[in-house]
Amino acid sequence: QVQLAESGGGLVQAGGSLRLPCAVSGRTFSRHILAWSRQAPGKEREIVAAKSWINTSTYYQNPVKGRFTISRDNAKNTLFLQMNSLKPEDTAVYYCAASRQGYTGSLAYTGAYDYWGQGTQVTVSS
């Protein structure tokens, strides 16, 4: 059973930084692709960063490249999203997600992710 739980959201000024942790259950890192997704009001959910620790492939959505970094802490079974140079358009609910086991397609495909956390709000003020 895959369980995911985000925390660390909040209000930050434009240009600031925020790090989102996601507690990940069991052997998820070795069996699933892990991702961070976001959904802004009135918009579809989109994958902003994803990484496979099985084959080391990584994906970043173009608007966040060079600003966001997906990583993990092995010892704490925690997934992170480091967000720097934040912009008002980064305001959204952020979710961590895990793919179905054995998935080998595009990391950017939202439909590949079967497991989701409850989400955490990030608001960037101008």
Side-chain angles (χ1 to χ4, degrees):
Q1 181 78 7
V2 177
Q3 293 181 322
L4 307 166
E6 311 92 340
S7 59
L11 175 65
V12 62
Q13 286 189 333
S17 296
L18 204 59
R19 188 174 77 157
L20 303 181
C22 173
V24 177
S25 64
R27 300 180 181 177
T28 304
F29 285 113
S30 63
R31 296 176 176 176
H32 305 262
I33 296 167
L34 276 294
W36 284 96
S37 173
R38 68 186 180 188
Q39 187 167 21
K43 295 189 177 181
E44 292 187 357
R45 193 174 296 191
E46 55 189 11
I47 302 297
V48 296
K51 187 172 179 70
S52 168
W53 277 274
I54 303 168
N55 63 19
T56 72
S57 58
T58 306
Y59 164 80
Y60 289 100
Q61 192 190 38
N62 280 339
V64 309
K65 279 183 181 177
R67 299 190 299 123
F68 289 13
T69 304
I70 186 171
S71 64
R72 72 172 183 179
D73 182 324
N74 243 357
K76 297 181 180 179
N77 243 29
T78 303
L79 179 74
F80 293 101
L81 183 68
Q82 177 68 43
M83 304 185 291
N84 298 328
S85 302
L86 282 162
K87 304 175 181 180
E89 51 263 44
D90 294 320
T91 295
V93 178
Y94 283 73
Y95 302 87
C96 60
S99 70
R100 64 185 69 101
Q101 194 168 341
Y103 176 75
T104 58
S106 170
L107 273 63
Y109 176 47
T110 308
Y113 297 90
D114 287 351
Y115 307 94
W116 297 84
Q118 80 283 359
T120 186
Q121 176 71 46
V122 172
T123 302
V124 184
S125 63
S126 56

